[in-house]
Amino acid sequence: MHRFVSLFFLLIAMSLHAAPPRVLAWDDEIAAKKLALVSATSQVEISGMHPSKRTFGLRLKGAGPYFIRVLDQAPAADGKPIQIQVPLTDVVKHPLILLMPDAKHPTGLRPLVIDDDVQGFAWGSYRFMNATPKDIVVQMEQKAVKVPAGWKAVDLNLGGETRGIGARVALAESIEKVLYSAVWEFDANARTLCIIVPGTDPRLGPIAFKAVPEDKISYELDTKEEKKSTGTETSP
């Protein structure tokens, strides 16, 4: 009986534990950095970073707090490693760590943890996040969603078959004034993370998109490959 109860609680603990986090680099400069995810007792180097593809899950032992550590940069004057804390908790079951640039931090990084669970961020969905200071309205075909400023995720799923769709974007305070209009491709077997950012080229308008698609077949192949391999852990 004791053995059965112990196994029962072990299975519960395993079910509540978050999946290994994956990492997405904001740009090529960040992707080129030599970084590691660090816990209190171990670290695993982050390999395969790319601005348009998530890494494999990072299997890291040890309790938090967790940090992203810069491996190709000399320690600080006090001898401590150059690193920044990452808010990883079991509340987010399938974490994706988005590494963005931050010139004010010694690491040059600002991490953001996104729930990347396919049960919520489903195939056929667009997940919008707003990095501009104003609320945005996104319309695709006959569906529209308000994407508030402040990085809150808002999903839009059109349903149906793969096809070209009209995309229209405006400020929530003046939806009659179109800031962006284009034809996108909807794919029922893909999902796309869309981050709305301030535009840097006046010719292209006041906003721009960082779009990171992921297709179902590649995801399933990566998941199988990930299960065959584990990250190499060392003492921090």
Side-chain angles (χ1 to χ4, degrees), residues 62 94 130 179-180:
H94 291 76
N130 186 358
L179 301 179
Y180 173 93

Side-chain angles (χ1 to χ4, degrees), residues 10-210:
L10 176 61
L11 290 173
I12 290 179
M14 289 173 64
S15 67
L16 292 177
H17 197 273
R22 299 195 290 170
V23 175
L24 177 65
W26 182 265
D27 55 24
D28 289 324
E29 183 177 350
I30 291 177
K33 289 179 177 288
K34 190 174 183 180
L35 306 173
L37 180 64
V38 181
S39 71
T41 58
S42 64
Q43 72 178 37
V44 58
E45 187 171 342
I46 305 172
S47 60
M49 284 193 295
H50 196 278
S52 62
K53 184 176 175 59
R54 299 157 173 84
T55 66
F56 285 171
L58 302 174
R59 299 183 181 276
L60 180 70
K61 295 179 181 179
Y66 302 98
F67 297 87
I68 296 291
R69 179 173 296 174
V70 182
L71 300 179
D72 54 356
Q73 191 171 336
D78 58 5
K80 293 182 179 180
I82 305 299
Q83 60 188 18
I84 187 169
Q85 188 167 351
V86 183
L88 287 173
T89 68
D90 280 352
V91 174
V92 179
K93 296 300 182 183
H94 291 76
L96 173 65
I97 305 172
L98 176 63
L99 293 180
M100 298 178 289
D102 184 354
K104 295 181 180 180
H105 194 273
T107 61
L109 302 171
R110 180 163 72 94
L112 176 70
V113 177
I114 302 169
D115 191 348
D116 206 35
D117 189 354
V118 294
Q119 299 301 317
F121 182 13
W123 304 113
S125 293
Y126 294 92
R127 170 160 288 181
F128 293 97
M129 302 181 78
N130 186 358
T132 76
K134 293 189 176 183
D135 295 349
I136 297 287
V137 172
V138 178
Q139 180 180 347
M140 291 184 165
E141 294 185 329
Q142 301 304 311
K143 291 187 177 181
V145 292
K146 182 179 179 180
V147 187
W151 294 91
K152 181 181 179 180
V154 178
D155 295 345
L156 193 157
N157 193 329
L158 298 174
E161 301 298 322
T162 299
R163 62 192 185 275
I165 57 171
R168 178 182 179 274
V169 179
L171 292 177
E173 62 188 27
S174 55
I175 59 174
E176 70 284 349
K177 184 178 179 180
V178 178
L179 301 179
Y180 173 93
S181 179
V183 176
W184 288 14
E185 182 181 359
F186 169 78
D187 187 343
N189 292 309
R191 59 182 189 160
T192 304
L193 177 64
C194 299
I195 302 173
I196 307 169
V197 298
T200 56
D201 188 340
R203 298 170 299 175
L204 301 178
I207 64 167
F209 285 91
K210 177 177 175 60

Side-chain angles (χ1 to χ4, degrees), residues 53 55-57 59 217-231:
K53 184 176 175 59
T55 66
F56 285 171
R59 299 183 181 276
I217 294 177
S218 295
Y219 172 83
E220 291 174 346
L221 290 174
D222 285 350
T223 300
K224 289 180 180 179
E225 185 65 27
E226 185 180 319
K227 289 179 179 179
K228 296 178 183 178
S229 61
T230 57

